[in-house]
Amino acid sequence: MMCQKRFAFFLPIVLSIFLATVNSFAQTPIPGTPVPEPAPGQDEITTQQARLELARLLSYSKRYDEAIAEYKMLLKDTPDDFTVQAELARVYYWKGDETRALTMLRALPQTALDTESALVLADIYAATKQYEQATALYKRHLQSTPNDDTTRLKLADTLSWMKQYPESLAQYKQILAKHPHDIQVRRRYARVLSWAGRTDDAIKELQMTLKPTP
């Protein structure tokens, strides 16, 4: 009789400890269990973000007209968005409409131009023989990104078209110091040497590009 009373007394306590232990295990994640995804609404992509991403992907796929249409729809809602304007201008440039791209990029504040847009503007200036504007943008970019040899080559070419031969040759030499086996750069270097009246040097450089490869 005494045992039954003791059992009845301890039973609620044992059950309470058992349930607490089970509850604790239930709340502890099992190793390797995937973390639950955010609830709906916690990581939403807005319509503007989706349209901007679509416009970019269309432009990367060279579906320029479709990309332009998406950018224009974006600008209906945010007409003062410099980023969207600059990206649209780049798409016009890739499409071959340099005039419209130039007009749009020149209308933007210089501080609003991202790196790619500034280089596109420089390329348009160079293509339309506005060499001083082009070289200014190329030089500004190289101040912050001196290892961009593609832009340095454009600067060297543009300076040569301006007949600024010593500065142009210095840019070519800087590229060749890093890429001595680049035949095309060396041939362009030789061409500018000839324009500068350094015929013998030009001959040597061209001969180097015509040697049989070992």
Side-chain angles (χ1 to χ4, degrees), residues 44-45 67 73 163 210:
E44 288 185 352
I45 297 174
M73 290 187 69
K163 298 183 180 181
L210 296 171

Side-chain angles (χ1 to χ4, degrees), residues 102 106 110 113 118-141 155 158-159 162 164:
L102 178 60
R106 290 180 69 173
Q110 289 293 307
L113 293 178
L119 289 176
V120 165
L121 180 57
D123 290 346
I124 296 174
Y125 278 141
T128 55
K129 299 183 179 181
Q130 299 179 64
Y131 299 138
E132 290 185 4
Q133 293 92 325
T135 55
L137 288 172
Y138 288 143
K139 288 178 180 179
R140 184 184 306 169
H141 172 73
L155 174 60
T158 307
L159 288 168
M162 298 171 70
Q164 295 185 14

